Amino acid sequence: MSEPILVWGAGAIGGTFGAALVRAGRDVTFVDVVPEHVEAIRDPERGLRITGPVDPMVVKAPAFLPEELKGIWKRIYLAVKAQHTEQACRALLPHLAEDGFVVSLQNGLCEKTIAEVVGTNRTVGAFINFGADWIGPGEVHFGNRAAVVTGEIDGRMTPRLNDVLEDLRTFEPDAIQTDNIWSYLWGKLAYGSLLFAQAVGNLGIADCLERPELLPLWRELAGEIVNVARAERVEPRGFNGFDPNAFGKGGTEEAAKASVAAMVAFNRPNAKTHSGVWRDLAIRKRRTEVDMQLLPIVEIGRKHGLSCPTLERLIAMIHEIEQNQRDLSDTNLTELLKK
């Protein structure tokens, strides 16, 4: 009998992943902080609907608000926004078995925060790049498949990692495991900086990346993060068209242009046209993850004597939009190029 699974955070990522497990017959329980979403998932007449062209389905599963939950689980998948990681970990801690573990299905370096709360030996890392959006209570739009990788944060190849990989392959058949999850997480941070930049304008990901006048901006943003990663003795890895070696020290304009073209080709057919950051700013009118993803890179860079001026300008611009002091506009990106 397979291990019961708790998915903490049933939004875009957790909802899509968890629904695939439910359909496969796994014992899955969802937790979310949005009461209407929880009500929809556990309503036998409604359930959780995964819409979009990739893998539509409707599943029914137990779902609870954090304060309603009872029980202990050995395997918990955490899929909340980065800024809610510590709060979610403290809430799930009473439900985590002593010999259990938490897998981070998040962007950023959230594994460090999780380990501080639940312990290093109970933390497993994962890198995700598939596209999904929370549409409303009981509905998640699955827009495109993409890279999925899992790894122990200390690089060991363990039996439990095989169990996690089996779960992930129920959702994404091409998921893999690695002995260096940090290389993928830093690679995603560098790519993610381009998505944060896309979010300050109106064009979709492919159209925004394709603007030729913005190539210097892409080189600066991704390059600053690649340089900080290497100062941390991490060599970022590429995925889905993003080649970290094309950016940062040693990267050339031609290599960056080729990588951008590959990213455009990857994103162009996808039903998810805009980043989750853009949806936070344009649709949901809420704070983004910028202070948990990009701001720490600036601070880590300072410790190594590396400045990240383009990242700092982007962070400041996103703060202005979050505070309704600036509108979304494609001219924001050309403004970021000014020094």
Side-chain angles (χ1 to χ4, degrees):
M1 186 175 178
S2 60
E3 188 69 41
I5 289 171
L6 183 65
V7 176
W8 196 285
I13 303 303
T16 312
F17 167 69
L21 295 182
V22 174
R23 184 179 59 183
R26 304 295 299 276
D27 180 356
V28 177
T29 299
F30 291 101
V31 174
D32 201 88
V33 298
V34 178
E36 298 83 359
H37 192 45
V38 169
E39 284 298 328
I41 295 172
R42 64 189 179 190
D43 184 345
E45 301 297 322
R46 301 168 67 191
L48 175 59
R49 291 188 302 130
I50 306 301
T51 58
V54 180
D55 192 12
M57 68 185 94
V58 180
V59 300
K60 317 288 173 55
F64 300 92
L65 295 167
E67 61 270 24
E68 298 174 331
L69 188 67
K70 295 180 180 177
I72 302 292
W73 281 262
K74 287 187 175 181
R75 200 177 302 178
I76 299 178
Y77 287 90
L78 181 62
V80 300
K81 288 289 184 181
Q83 61 266 33
H84 304 310
T85 301
E86 181 177 352
Q87 181 182 13
C89 284
R90 297 197 183 285
L92 69 79
L93 194 55
H95 305 286
L96 178 62
E98 282 299 319
D99 59 346
F101 56 88
V102 176
V103 184
S104 171
L105 297 181
Q106 301 167 280
N107 291 311
L109 304 177
C110 297
E111 283 80 355
K112 293 183 178 180
T113 303
I114 297 170
E116 288 175 359
V117 179
V118 308
T120 301
N121 63 335
R122 295 201 291 178
T123 303
V124 176
F127 151 79
I128 52 174
N129 194 46
F130 66 89
D133 292 312
W134 186 84
I135 302 302
E139 181 179 357
V140 174
H141 182 268
F142 185 13
N144 64 278
R145 295 190 179 279
V148 175
V149 184
T150 186
E152 296 280 2
I153 59 175
D154 61 4
R156 292 177 299 133
M157 303 302 284
T158 61
R160 71 181 184 183
L161 204 56
N162 293 330
D163 296 333
V164 172
L165 182 61
E166 182 180 349
D167 291 344
L168 293 176
R169 283 182 171 171
T170 301
F171 165 70
E172 173 49 63
D174 293 330
I176 61 173
Q177 57 184 321
T178 177
D179 61 0
N180 190 352
I181 191 64
W182 300 108
S183 66
Y184 284 99
L185 294 174
W186 275 93
K188 181 62 184 290
L189 282 169
Y191 173 65
S193 69
L194 311 184
L195 300 183
F196 273 97
Q198 177 271 321
V200 305
N202 293 308
L203 292 175
I205 298 170
D207 289 336
C208 182
L209 288 173
E210 202 168 34
R211 289 173 63 185
E213 73 276 19
L214 295 181
L215 182 63
L217 178 62
W218 310 144
R219 295 187 69 193
E220 290 176 5
L221 285 171
E224 288 176 4
I225 294 180
V226 168
N227 289 340
V228 173
R230 288 171 176 161
E232 287 278 284
R233 299 184 182 277
V234 178
E235 192 61 40
R237 292 195 189 183
F239 53 89
N240 301 140
F242 177 67
D243 176 11
N245 291 323
F247 302 89
K249 188 175 181 181
T252 66
E253 181 175 328
E254 284 306 306
K257 187 181 296 184
S259 180
V260 169
M263 288 186 278
V264 170
F266 174 80
N267 282 284
R268 178 69 69 195
N270 295 341
K272 180 177 172 63
T273 58
H274 290 68
S275 67
V277 188
W278 180 88
R279 284 185 61 83
D280 285 339
L281 293 174
I283 306 298
R284 305 191 68 180
K285 307 293 184 183
R286 65 180 186 179
R287 283 182 57 205
T288 69
E289 296 177 295
V290 69
D291 288 343
M292 287 294 292
Q293 290 191 36
L294 298 190
L295 187 58
I297 308 306
V298 174
E299 295 167 347
I300 295 170
R302 287 196 188 106
K303 294 178 183 176
H304 293 286
L306 296 173
S307 62
C308 301
T310 315
L311 276 176
E312 290 190 78
R313 291 199 300 276
L314 175 58
I315 293 167
M317 183 174 286
I318 289 175
H319 284 164
E320 290 175 358
I321 297 171
E322 289 175 335
Q323 297 163 14
N324 297 317
Q325 296 172 352
R326 176 188 289 267
D327 294 328
L328 295 182
S329 170
D330 293 322
T331 61
N332 285 335
L333 288 112
T334 49
E335 183 178 330
L336 280 172
L337 275 170
K338 299 175 182 176
K339 299 180 180 179

